[in-house]
């Protein structure tokens, strides 16, 4: 049920009451394609986005800052709808000049003697990358996060043998309406004509009946009766001698 100050909207109608849809996303998520599709299909509903760090990826939903949030799993799912979207490629980040720079891919088992840093303990990936640049240790991150912060004194290589991370879309269970459903459909790749999109379920105007080009249509589009040129033959279809002769 929508809140009293957010009336149910017709997502396809520009005459609906104004409504702003807000979503948050963690570092590494690039929402540009979803924003472009939204602006094409729903130009009358403003869309606002902002980045959240790992510690606030769910709190933005609890405090109402965002209607939806792109999160990095795992998360606490109680009271939330969570749709996994895609898996991220892990990389290992090292200071420039480290021996991993001669490889394209690095196996986790080959780094057993290395010191690994924890991004959360260092205040997040951005700060952790600066520590890596000093030579204090290596760091495992999603490739998208390493590219986003892109510290110049570090190098990143794809890491095999390490578990990947997943990006998901989350929103409160009791906060779903047609506008949110429209956004979810766009993120999941549904086309504008999909029968599951609220904007495609609106009643289409009925087309006016086509005029009768034969020029003889009467009221209601019915064909006029044509005068019969010949009287019907009552014996038509009966074989000769069909009458039974009685006994004399």
């Amino acid at each position: 049920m929508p809140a009293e100050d957010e009336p149910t909207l017709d997502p396809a109608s520009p005459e609906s009451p104004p409504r702003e849809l807000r979503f948050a996303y963690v570092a590494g998520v690039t929402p540009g394609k979803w924003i472009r599709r939204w602006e094409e299909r729903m130009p009358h509903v403003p869309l606002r986005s902002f980045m959240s760090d790992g510690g606030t990826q769910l709190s933005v939903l609890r405090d109402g800052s965002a209607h939806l949030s792109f999160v990095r799993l795992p998360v606490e799912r109680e009271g939330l709808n969570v749709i996994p979207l895609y898996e991220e490629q892990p990389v290992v980040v090292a200071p420039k000049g480290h021996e991993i720079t001669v490889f394209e891919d690095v196996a986790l088992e080959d780094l057993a003697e290395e010191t690994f840093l924890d991004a959360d303990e260092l205040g997040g990936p951005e700060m952790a990358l600066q520590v890596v640049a000093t030579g204090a240790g290596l760091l495992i991150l999603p490739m998208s996060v390493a590219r986003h912060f892109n510290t110049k004194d570090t190098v990143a290589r794809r890491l095999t043998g390490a578990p990947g991370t997943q990006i998901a879309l989350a929103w409160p269970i009791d906060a779903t309406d047609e506008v949110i459903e429209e956004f979810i459909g766009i993120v999941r790749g549904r086309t504008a004509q999909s029968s599951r999109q609220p904007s495609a379920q609106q009643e289409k105007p009925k087309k006016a009946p086509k005029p009768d080009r034969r020029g003889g249509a009467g009221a209601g589009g019915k064909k006029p009766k044509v005068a019969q040129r010949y009287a019907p033959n009552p014996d038509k279809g009966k074989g000769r001698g069909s009458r039974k002769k009685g006994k004399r």
Side-chain angles (χ1 to χ4, degrees), residues 67-155:
H67 298 101
L68 307 102
S69 180
F70 290 93
V71 300
R72 184 167 283 112
L73 300 179
V75 297
E76 174 55 55
R77 301 192 179 202
E78 184 177 358
L80 297 175
N81 289 307
V82 179
I83 301 175
L85 298 175
Y86 59 88
E87 188 168 323
E88 298 176 294
Q89 169 67 47
V91 296
V92 57
V93 186
K96 277 191 173 180
H98 192 280
E99 59 183 5
I100 71 166
T101 58
V102 300
F103 302 100
E104 292 185 1
D105 299 328
V106 180
L108 181 61
E109 61 183 13
D110 294 337
L111 302 174
E113 296 182 2
E114 297 285 350
T115 300
F116 284 93
L117 306 174
D118 187 307
D120 292 335
E121 292 180 357
L122 295 173
E126 186 174 15
M127 183 63 67
L129 285 170
Q130 295 178 21
V131 177
V132 170
T134 67
L138 307 186
L139 186 65
I140 297 176
L141 289 174
M143 179 184 288
S144 58
V145 176
R147 286 178 173 175
H148 177 79
F149 293 111
N150 191 27
T151 303
K152 64 178 182 179
D153 294 325
T154 63
V155 293

Coordinates of all heavy atoms in Angstrom, one line a residue, residues 67-155:
H67 N 14.4 4.9 -2.4 CA 13.3 3.9 -2.6 C 13.9 2.5 -2.9 O 13.3 1.5 -2.6 CB 12.3 4.3 -3.7 CG 11.6 5.6 -3.4 ND1 12.0 6.8 -4.0 CD2 10.6 5.9 -2.6 CE1 11.2 7.8 -3.6 NE2 10.4 7.2 -2.8
L68 N 15.0 2.5 -3.6 CA 15.7 1.2 -4.0 C 17.2 1.4 -3.8 O 17.7 2.6 -3.8 CB 15.4 0.9 -5.5 CG 14.0 0.8 -5.9 CD1 13.6 2.0 -6.7 CD2 13.7 -0.5 -6.8
S69 N 17.9 0.3 -3.7 CA 19.3 0.4 -3.5 C 20.0 -0.8 -4.2 O 19.6 -1.9 -4.1 CB 19.7 0.4 -2.0 OG 21.1 0.5 -1.8
F70 N 21.0 -0.4 -5.0 CA 21.9 -1.5 -5.6 C 22.9 -1.8 -4.6 O 23.8 -1.0 -4.2 CB 22.6 -0.9 -6.9 CG 21.6 -0.8 -8.0 CD1 21.0 0.4 -8.3 CD2 21.3 -1.8 -8.9 CE1 20.1 0.6 -9.3 CE2 20.4 -1.7 -10.0 CZ 19.8 -0.4 -10.2
V71 N 22.9 -3.1 -4.1 CA 23.8 -3.5 -3.0 C 24.7 -4.6 -3.4 O 24.5 -5.2 -4.4 CB 22.9 -4.0 -1.8 CG1 21.9 -2.9 -1.3 CG2 22.1 -5.2 -2.2
R72 N 25.7 -4.7 -2.6 CA 26.7 -5.8 -2.8 C 26.4 -6.9 -1.8 O 26.4 -6.7 -0.6 CB 28.1 -5.3 -2.7 CG 29.2 -6.3 -3.1 CD 30.6 -5.7 -3.3 NE 30.6 -5.0 -4.6 CZ 30.7 -3.7 -4.8 NH1 30.7 -2.9 -3.8 NH2 30.8 -3.2 -6.0
L73 N 26.1 -8.1 -2.3 CA 25.8 -9.2 -1.4 C 27.0 -9.7 -0.7 O 28.1 -9.6 -1.2 CB 25.1 -10.3 -2.2 CG 23.8 -10.0 -2.9 CD1 23.3 -11.2 -3.7 CD2 22.8 -9.4 -1.9
P74 N 26.8 -10.3 0.5 CA 25.6 -10.6 1.2 C 25.0 -9.4 2.0 O 25.8 -8.5 2.5 CB 26.0 -11.7 2.2 CG 27.4 -11.5 2.5 CD 28.0 -10.9 1.2
V75 N 23.7 -9.4 2.2 CA 23.1 -8.4 3.1 C 22.0 -9.0 3.9 O 21.6 -10.1 3.6 CB 22.4 -7.2 2.2 CG1 23.5 -6.5 1.4 CG2 21.4 -7.8 1.3
E76 N 21.6 -8.3 5.0 CA 20.5 -8.8 5.8 C 19.2 -8.6 5.0 O 18.9 -7.4 4.7 CB 20.5 -8.1 7.1 CG 19.2 -8.4 8.0 CD 19.1 -9.8 8.2 OE1 20.0 -10.5 8.7 OE2 18.0 -10.4 7.9
R77 N 18.4 -9.6 4.7 CA 17.3 -9.5 3.8 C 15.9 -9.3 4.5 O 14.9 -9.2 3.8 CB 17.2 -10.8 2.9 CG 18.5 -11.0 2.1 CD 18.2 -12.0 1.0 NE 19.4 -12.2 0.2 CZ 19.4 -12.7 -1.1 NH1 18.2 -13.1 -1.6 NH2 20.5 -12.9 -1.7
E78 N 15.9 -9.3 5.8 CA 14.7 -9.2 6.5 C 13.9 -7.9 6.1 O 14.5 -6.8 6.2 CB 14.9 -9.3 8.0 CG 13.6 -9.3 8.8 CD 13.8 -9.4 10.3 OE1 15.0 -9.5 10.7 OE2 12.8 -9.3 11.1
G79 N 12.7 -8.0 5.7 CA 11.9 -6.9 5.4 C 12.2 -6.3 4.0 O 11.6 -5.3 3.6
L80 N 13.0 -7.0 3.2 CA 13.4 -6.5 1.9 C 13.1 -7.5 0.8 O 13.1 -8.7 1.0 CB 14.9 -6.2 1.9 CG 15.4 -5.1 2.8 CD1 17.0 -5.1 2.7 CD2 14.8 -3.8 2.5
N81 N 12.8 -7.0 -0.4 CA 12.9 -7.7 -1.6 C 14.3 -7.6 -2.2 O 14.8 -6.5 -2.2 CB 11.9 -7.2 -2.6 CG 10.5 -7.5 -2.3 OD1 10.1 -8.7 -2.0 ND2 9.6 -6.5 -2.3
V82 N 14.9 -8.7 -2.5 CA 16.3 -8.6 -3.1 C 16.4 -9.5 -4.3 O 16.1 -10.7 -4.3 CB 17.3 -9.2 -2.0 CG1 18.7 -9.1 -2.6 CG2 17.3 -8.4 -0.7
I83 N 16.8 -8.8 -5.4 CA 16.9 -9.5 -6.7 C 18.4 -9.5 -7.1 O 19.0 -8.5 -7.5 CB 16.1 -8.8 -7.8 CG1 14.6 -8.8 -7.5 CG2 16.3 -9.5 -9.2 CD1 13.8 -8.0 -8.5
P84 N 19.1 -10.7 -7.1 CA 20.5 -10.7 -7.6 C 20.5 -10.4 -9.1 O 19.7 -10.8 -9.9 CB 20.9 -12.2 -7.4 CG 19.9 -12.7 -6.3 CD 18.6 -12.0 -6.6
L85 N 21.5 -9.6 -9.5 CA 21.6 -9.1 -10.9 C 22.7 -9.7 -11.6 O 22.6 -10.3 -12.7 CB 21.7 -7.6 -10.9 CG 20.5 -6.8 -10.3 CD1 20.8 -5.3 -10.3 CD2 19.2 -7.1 -11.1
Y86 N 24.0 -9.6 -11.1 CA 25.1 -10.1 -11.8 C 26.3 -10.3 -10.9 O 26.3 -9.8 -9.8 CB 25.6 -9.2 -13.0 CG 25.9 -7.8 -12.5 CD1 27.2 -7.5 -12.1 CD2 25.0 -6.8 -12.5 CE1 27.6 -6.2 -11.7 CE2 25.3 -5.5 -12.1 CZ 26.6 -5.2 -11.7 OH 26.9 -3.9 -11.3
E87 N 27.2 -11.2 -11.3 CA 28.4 -11.5 -10.5 C 29.6 -10.6 -10.9 O 29.8 -10.3 -12.1 CB 28.8 -12.9 -10.6 CG 29.8 -13.4 -9.6 CD 30.0 -14.9 -9.5 OE1 28.9 -15.6 -9.6 OE2 31.1 -15.4 -9.4
E88 N 30.4 -10.2 -10.0 CA 31.6 -9.3 -10.3 C 32.9 -10.1 -10.3 O 33.0 -11.1 -9.6 CB 31.7 -8.2 -9.2 CG 30.5 -7.3 -9.1 CD 30.6 -6.3 -8.0 OE1 30.6 -6.8 -6.8 OE2 30.8 -5.1 -8.3
Q89 N 33.8 -9.7 -11.2 CA 35.1 -10.4 -11.3 C 36.0 -9.9 -10.2 O 36.2 -8.6 -10.1 CB 35.6 -10.1 -12.7 CG 37.1 -10.5 -12.9 CD 37.3 -12.0 -12.8 OE1 36.6 -12.7 -13.5 NE2 38.3 -12.4 -12.1
P90 N 36.6 -10.7 -9.4 CA 37.6 -10.3 -8.4 C 38.9 -10.0 -9.0 O 39.3 -10.6 -10.0 CB 37.6 -11.4 -7.4 CG 37.3 -12.6 -8.2 CD 36.3 -12.2 -9.3
V91 N 39.6 -9.0 -8.5 CA 41.0 -8.7 -8.9 C 41.9 -8.6 -7.6 O 41.4 -8.4 -6.5 CB 41.1 -7.4 -9.7 CG1 40.3 -7.5 -11.0 CG2 40.6 -6.2 -8.8
V92 N 43.2 -8.8 -7.8 CA 44.1 -8.5 -6.8 C 44.8 -7.2 -7.1 O 45.3 -7.0 -8.3 CB 45.1 -9.7 -6.6 CG1 45.9 -10.0 -7.8 CG2 46.1 -9.4 -5.4
V93 N 45.0 -6.3 -6.1 CA 45.6 -5.0 -6.4 C 46.9 -5.0 -5.6 O 47.0 -5.4 -4.4 CB 44.7 -3.9 -5.9 CG1 45.3 -2.5 -6.3 CG2 43.3 -4.0 -6.5
A94 N 48.0 -4.6 -6.3 CA 49.3 -4.6 -5.7 C 50.0 -3.2 -6.0 O 49.5 -2.5 -7.0 CB 50.2 -5.7 -6.2
P95 N 51.0 -2.8 -5.3 CA 51.8 -1.6 -5.7 C 52.5 -1.8 -7.0 O 52.8 -2.9 -7.4 CB 52.7 -1.4 -4.5 CG 52.9 -2.8 -3.9 CD 51.6 -3.5 -4.1
K96 N 52.7 -0.7 -7.7 CA 53.4 -0.8 -9.0 C 54.8 -1.4 -8.8 O 55.5 -1.1 -7.8 CB 53.5 0.6 -9.6 CG 52.3 1.0 -10.4 CD 52.6 2.3 -11.2 CE 51.4 2.6 -12.1 NZ 51.6 3.8 -12.9
G97 N 55.3 -2.2 -9.7 CA 56.6 -2.9 -9.6 C 56.5 -4.2 -9.0 O 57.5 -5.0 -9.0
H98 N 55.3 -4.6 -8.4 CA 55.1 -6.0 -7.9 C 55.2 -7.0 -9.0 O 54.9 -6.7 -10.2 CB 53.8 -6.0 -7.2 CG 53.6 -7.2 -6.3 ND1 53.3 -8.5 -6.8 CD2 53.7 -7.4 -5.0 CE1 53.2 -9.4 -5.8 NE2 53.5 -8.7 -4.7
E99 N 55.6 -8.2 -8.7 CA 55.8 -9.2 -9.7 C 54.5 -9.7 -10.4 O 54.6 -10.2 -11.5 CB 56.4 -10.5 -9.0 CG 55.6 -11.1 -7.9 CD 56.3 -12.3 -7.2 OE1 57.5 -12.6 -7.6 OE2 55.7 -12.9 -6.4
I100 N 53.3 -9.4 -9.8 CA 52.1 -9.8 -10.5 C 51.9 -9.0 -11.8 O 51.1 -9.4 -12.6 CB 50.9 -9.6 -9.6 CG1 50.5 -8.2 -9.4 CG2 51.0 -10.4 -8.3 CD1 49.1 -8.0 -8.8
T101 N 52.6 -7.9 -12.0 CA 52.4 -7.0 -13.1 C 52.8 -7.7 -14.4 O 52.3 -7.3 -15.5 CB 53.2 -5.7 -13.0 OG1 54.6 -6.0 -12.9 CG2 52.7 -4.9 -11.8
V102 N 53.5 -8.8 -14.4 CA 53.9 -9.5 -15.6 C 52.9 -10.5 -16.1 O 53.0 -11.1 -17.1 CB 55.3 -10.2 -15.4 CG1 56.4 -9.2 -15.1 CG2 55.2 -11.3 -14.4
F103 N 51.8 -10.7 -15.3 CA 50.8 -11.7 -15.6 C 49.5 -10.9 -15.9 O 49.2 -9.8 -15.5 CB 50.5 -12.6 -14.4 CG 51.7 -13.4 -14.0 CD1 52.5 -13.0 -12.9 CD2 52.1 -14.5 -14.7 CE1 53.6 -13.7 -12.5 CE2 53.3 -15.2 -14.3 CZ 54.0 -14.8 -13.2
E104 N 48.6 -11.6 -16.7 CA 47.3 -11.1 -17.0 C 46.3 -11.6 -15.9 O 45.4 -10.9 -15.5 CB 46.8 -11.5 -18.4 CG 47.5 -10.8 -19.5 CD 47.0 -11.2 -20.8 OE1 45.9 -11.9 -20.9 OE2 47.5 -10.7 -21.8
D105 N 46.5 -12.9 -15.5 CA 45.6 -13.5 -14.5 C 46.6 -14.1 -13.4 O 47.7 -14.5 -13.7 CB 44.8 -14.7 -15.1 CG 43.8 -14.2 -16.1 OD1 43.4 -13.1 -16.0 OD2 43.6 -15.0 -17.0
V106 N 46.1 -14.0 -12.2 CA 46.9 -14.5 -11.0 C 46.0 -15.5 -10.2 O 44.8 -15.2 -10.0 CB 47.3 -13.3 -10.1 CG1 48.2 -13.9 -9.0 CG2 48.2 -12.3 -10.9
A107 N 46.5 -16.6 -9.9 CA 45.8 -17.6 -9.1 C 46.0 -17.2 -7.6 O 47.1 -16.9 -7.2 CB 46.3 -19.0 -9.4
L108 N 44.9 -17.4 -6.9 CA 45.0 -17.0 -5.4 C 46.0 -17.9 -4.7 O 46.7 -17.4 -3.8 CB 43.6 -17.2 -4.8 CG 43.5 -16.9 -3.3 CD1 43.8 -15.4 -3.0 CD2 42.0 -17.2 -2.8
E109 N 46.1 -19.2 -5.1 CA 47.0 -20.1 -4.4 C 48.5 -19.7 -4.6 O 49.4 -20.0 -3.8 CB 46.8 -21.5 -4.9 CG 47.1 -21.7 -6.4 CD 46.8 -23.1 -6.9 OE1 46.1 -23.8 -6.2 OE2 47.1 -23.4 -8.0
D110 N 48.8 -18.9 -5.7 CA 50.1 -18.5 -5.9 C 50.5 -17.3 -5.0 O 51.7 -16.8 -5.0 CB 50.3 -18.1 -7.4 CG 50.2 -19.3 -8.3 OD1 50.4 -20.4 -7.8 OD2 49.9 -19.1 -9.5
L111 N 49.5 -16.7 -4.3 CA 49.8 -15.6 -3.4 C 49.7 -15.9 -1.9 O 49.5 -15.1 -1.1 CB 48.7 -14.5 -3.7 CG 48.7 -14.0 -5.2 CD1 47.5 -13.0 -5.4 CD2 50.0 -13.3 -5.6
A112 N 50.0 -17.2 -1.6 CA 49.8 -17.7 -0.3 C 50.8 -17.0 0.7 O 50.5 -16.8 1.9 CB 50.0 -19.2 -0.2
E113 N 51.9 -16.5 0.2 CA 52.9 -15.9 1.1 C 52.7 -14.4 1.2 O 53.5 -13.7 1.9 CB 54.3 -16.3 0.6 CG 54.6 -17.8 0.7 CD 56.0 -18.1 0.3 OE1 56.8 -17.1 0.0 OE2 56.4 -19.3 0.3
E114 N 51.8 -13.8 0.5 CA 51.6 -12.4 0.5 C 50.7 -11.9 1.7 O 50.0 -12.7 2.3 CB 50.9 -11.9 -0.8 CG 51.7 -12.2 -2.0 CD 52.8 -11.2 -2.2 OE1 52.9 -10.2 -1.5 OE2 53.6 -11.5 -3.1
T115 N 50.9 -10.7 2.1 CA 50.1 -10.1 3.1 C 48.8 -9.4 2.5 O 49.0 -8.6 1.6 CB 50.9 -9.0 3.9 OG1 52.0 -9.7 4.5 CG2 50.0 -8.4 5.0
F116 N 47.7 -9.7 3.0 CA 46.4 -9.1 2.4 C 45.8 -8.2 3.4 O 45.8 -8.4 4.6 CB 45.4 -10.2 2.1 CG 45.8 -11.0 0.8 CD1 46.5 -12.2 0.9 CD2 45.3 -10.5 -0.4 CE1 46.8 -12.8 -0.3 CE2 45.7 -11.2 -1.6 CZ 46.4 -12.4 -1.5
L117 N 45.3 -7.1 2.9 CA 44.7 -6.0 3.7 C 43.2 -6.2 3.6 O 42.6 -6.7 2.7 CB 45.1 -4.6 3.2 CG 46.6 -4.4 3.0 CD1 46.9 -3.0 2.4 CD2 47.3 -4.5 4.4
D118 N 42.5 -5.7 4.6 CA 41.1 -5.7 4.7 C 40.6 -4.3 4.5 O 40.9 -3.3 5.2 CB 40.6 -6.2 6.1 CG 39.1 -6.4 6.2 OD1 38.3 -5.4 5.8 OD2 38.7 -7.5 6.5
A119 N 39.8 -4.1 3.4 CA 39.3 -2.8 3.0 C 38.4 -2.1 4.1 O 38.5 -0.9 4.4 CB 38.6 -2.8 1.7
D120 N 37.6 -3.0 4.7 CA 36.7 -2.4 5.7 C 37.4 -1.9 6.9 O 37.1 -0.9 7.5 CB 35.6 -3.5 6.1 CG 34.7 -3.8 5.0 OD1 34.5 -3.0 4.1 OD2 34.1 -5.0 5.0
E121 N 38.5 -2.6 7.3 CA 39.3 -2.2 8.5 C 40.0 -0.9 8.2 O 40.4 -0.2 9.1 CB 40.2 -3.3 8.9 CG 39.5 -4.5 9.4 CD 40.5 -5.6 9.8 OE1 41.8 -5.4 9.6 OE2 40.1 -6.7 10.3
L122 N 40.3 -0.6 6.9 CA 41.1 0.6 6.6 C 40.2 1.7 6.2 O 40.7 2.7 5.7 CB 42.0 0.2 5.4 CG 43.1 -0.8 5.8 CD1 43.9 -1.2 4.5 CD2 44.1 -0.2 6.8
G123 N 38.9 1.6 6.4 CA 38.0 2.7 6.1 C 37.4 2.7 4.7 O 36.9 3.8 4.2
G124 N 37.4 1.6 4.0 CA 36.8 1.5 2.7 C 37.8 1.3 1.6 O 39.0 1.5 1.9
P125 N 37.4 0.9 0.4 CA 38.3 0.6 -0.7 C 39.2 1.8 -1.1 O 40.4 1.6 -1.4 CB 37.4 0.1 -1.8 CG 36.1 0.7 -1.5 CD 36.0 0.7 0.0
E126 N 38.7 3.0 -1.1 CA 39.5 4.1 -1.5 C 40.7 4.3 -0.6 O 41.8 4.5 -1.1 CB 38.6 5.4 -1.6 CG 39.3 6.6 -2.1 CD 38.4 7.8 -2.3 OE1 37.3 7.8 -1.7 OE2 38.8 8.7 -3.0
M127 N 40.5 4.3 0.7 CA 41.6 4.5 1.6 C 42.5 3.2 1.6 O 43.7 3.4 1.6 CB 41.0 4.6 3.0 CG 42.1 4.9 4.1 SD 43.0 6.5 3.8 CE 41.7 7.6 4.1
A128 N 41.9 2.1 1.4 CA 42.7 0.8 1.4 C 43.7 0.8 0.2 O 44.8 0.4 0.3 CB 41.8 -0.4 1.3
L129 N 43.2 1.4 -1.0 CA 44.1 1.4 -2.2 C 45.3 2.3 -1.9 O 46.4 2.1 -2.4 CB 43.3 1.9 -3.4 CG 42.3 0.8 -3.9 CD1 41.4 1.5 -5.0 CD2 43.1 -0.3 -4.6
Q130 N 45.1 3.4 -1.2 CA 46.2 4.3 -0.9 C 47.3 3.5 0.0 O 48.5 3.8 -0.1 CB 45.7 5.5 -0.2 CG 44.8 6.4 -1.1 CD 44.3 7.6 -0.3 OE1 44.9 8.0 0.7 NE2 43.2 8.2 -0.9
V131 N 46.8 2.7 0.9 CA 47.7 1.9 1.7 C 48.4 0.9 0.9 O 49.6 0.6 1.1 CB 46.9 1.2 2.9 CG1 47.9 0.3 3.7 CG2 46.2 2.3 3.8
V132 N 47.7 0.3 -0.1 CA 48.4 -0.7 -1.0 C 49.5 0.0 -1.7 O 50.6 -0.6 -1.9 CB 47.4 -1.3 -2.0 CG1 48.1 -2.1 -3.1 CG2 46.4 -2.2 -1.3
A133 N 49.3 1.2 -2.2 CA 50.3 2.0 -2.9 C 51.6 2.2 -2.1 O 52.7 2.3 -2.7 CB 49.8 3.3 -3.3
T134 N 51.6 2.1 -0.8 CA 52.8 2.3 0.0 C 53.6 1.0 0.1 O 54.7 1.0 0.7 CB 52.4 2.7 1.5 OG1 51.6 1.6 2.1 CG2 51.5 3.9 1.4
G135 N 53.0 -0.1 -0.4 CA 53.7 -1.4 -0.3 C 53.4 -2.2 0.9 O 54.0 -3.2 1.2
A136 N 52.3 -1.8 1.7 CA 52.0 -2.5 2.9 C 51.4 -3.9 2.7 O 51.3 -4.7 3.7 CB 51.1 -1.6 3.8
G137 N 50.8 -4.2 1.6 CA 50.2 -5.4 1.3 C 49.3 -5.4 0.1 O 49.3 -4.4 -0.6
L138 N 48.7 -6.5 -0.2 CA 47.8 -6.6 -1.4 C 46.3 -6.5 -0.9 O 46.0 -6.7 0.2 CB 48.0 -7.9 -2.1 CG 49.5 -8.3 -2.5 CD1 49.5 -9.6 -3.3 CD2 50.1 -7.1 -3.2
L139 N 45.5 -6.3 -1.9 CA 44.1 -6.1 -1.6 C 43.2 -6.8 -2.7 O 43.6 -6.8 -3.9 CB 43.7 -4.6 -1.7 CG 42.3 -4.2 -1.3 CD1 42.1 -4.5 0.2 CD2 42.2 -2.7 -1.5
I140 N 42.2 -7.5 -2.3 CA 41.3 -8.2 -3.2 C 40.0 -7.3 -3.3 O 39.4 -7.1 -2.2 CB 40.9 -9.6 -2.8 CG1 42.2 -10.5 -2.8 CG2 39.9 -10.2 -3.7 CD1 42.0 -11.9 -2.3
L141 N 39.6 -7.0 -4.5 CA 38.4 -6.1 -4.7 C 37.7 -6.6 -5.9 O 38.3 -7.3 -6.8 CB 38.8 -4.7 -4.9 CG 39.4 -3.9 -3.7 CD1 39.8 -2.5 -4.2 CD2 38.3 -3.7 -2.6
P142 N 36.4 -6.2 -6.0 CA 35.7 -6.4 -7.3 C 36.4 -5.5 -8.4 O 36.9 -4.4 -8.1 CB 34.3 -5.9 -7.1 CG 34.1 -6.0 -5.6 CD 35.5 -5.8 -5.0
M143 N 36.5 -6.0 -9.6 CA 37.2 -5.3 -10.6 C 36.6 -3.9 -10.8 O 37.3 -2.9 -11.0 CB 37.1 -6.0 -12.0 CG 37.8 -5.3 -13.1 SD 37.6 -6.2 -14.7 CE 38.7 -7.6 -14.4
S144 N 35.3 -3.8 -10.8 CA 34.6 -2.5 -11.0 C 35.0 -1.5 -9.9 O 35.1 -0.3 -10.2 CB 33.1 -2.7 -11.0 OG 32.6 -3.3 -9.8
V145 N 35.2 -1.9 -8.7 CA 35.6 -1.0 -7.6 C 37.0 -0.5 -7.8 O 37.3 0.6 -7.6 CB 35.4 -1.7 -6.2 CG1 35.9 -0.8 -5.1 CG2 34.0 -2.1 -6.0
A146 N 37.9 -1.5 -8.2 CA 39.3 -1.1 -8.4 C 39.4 -0.1 -9.5 O 40.2 0.9 -9.5 CB 40.1 -2.3 -8.7
R147 N 38.6 -0.2 -10.6 CA 38.6 0.7 -11.7 C 38.0 2.0 -11.3 O 38.4 3.1 -11.7 CB 37.8 0.1 -12.8 CG 38.6 -1.0 -13.6 CD 37.7 -1.6 -14.7 NE 38.5 -2.5 -15.5 CZ 37.9 -3.2 -16.5 NH1 36.6 -3.1 -16.8 NH2 38.7 -4.1 -17.2
H148 N 37.0 2.0 -10.4 CA 36.3 3.2 -10.0 C 37.3 4.2 -9.3 O 37.3 5.4 -9.5 CB 35.1 2.9 -9.1 CG 34.4 4.1 -8.6 ND1 33.5 4.8 -9.4 CD2 34.4 4.7 -7.4 CE1 33.0 5.8 -8.7 NE2 33.6 5.8 -7.4
F149 N 38.0 3.6 -8.3 CA 38.9 4.5 -7.5 C 40.3 4.6 -8.2 O 40.9 5.7 -8.1 CB 39.1 3.9 -6.1 CG 37.8 4.0 -5.3 CD1 37.1 2.8 -5.0 CD2 37.3 5.2 -4.9 CE1 35.9 2.9 -4.3 CE2 36.1 5.3 -4.2 CZ 35.4 4.1 -3.9
N150 N 40.8 3.6 -8.9 CA 41.9 3.8 -9.8 C 43.1 4.6 -9.3 O 43.4 5.7 -9.8 CB 41.4 4.4 -11.2 CG 42.5 4.3 -12.3 OD1 43.3 3.4 -12.2 ND2 42.5 5.2 -13.2
T151 N 43.7 4.1 -8.2 CA 44.9 4.8 -7.7 C 46.1 4.5 -8.6 O 46.4 3.4 -9.0 CB 45.2 4.2 -6.3 OG1 44.0 4.3 -5.5 CG2 46.4 4.9 -5.6
K152 N 46.8 5.6 -9.0 CA 47.8 5.5 -10.1 C 49.0 4.7 -9.7 O 49.7 4.2 -10.5 CB 48.2 7.0 -10.5 CG 48.9 7.8 -9.3 CD 49.3 9.1 -9.8 CE 50.0 9.9 -8.8 NZ 50.5 11.2 -9.2
D153 N 49.3 4.6 -8.4 CA 50.5 3.9 -7.9 C 50.2 2.4 -7.7 O 51.0 1.7 -6.9 CB 51.1 4.5 -6.7 CG 51.6 5.9 -7.0 OD1 52.1 6.1 -8.1 OD2 51.5 6.8 -6.1
T154 N 49.1 1.9 -8.2 CA 48.8 0.5 -8.0 C 48.5 -0.2 -9.3 O 48.2 0.5 -10.3 CB 47.6 0.3 -7.1 OG1 46.4 0.9 -7.7 CG2 47.8 0.9 -5.7
V155 N 48.5 -1.5 -9.3 CA 48.1 -2.3 -10.5 C 47.1 -3.4 -10.1 O 47.2 -3.8 -8.9 CB 49.3 -2.9 -11.2 CG1 50.2 -1.9 -11.8 CG2 50.1 -3.8 -10.2

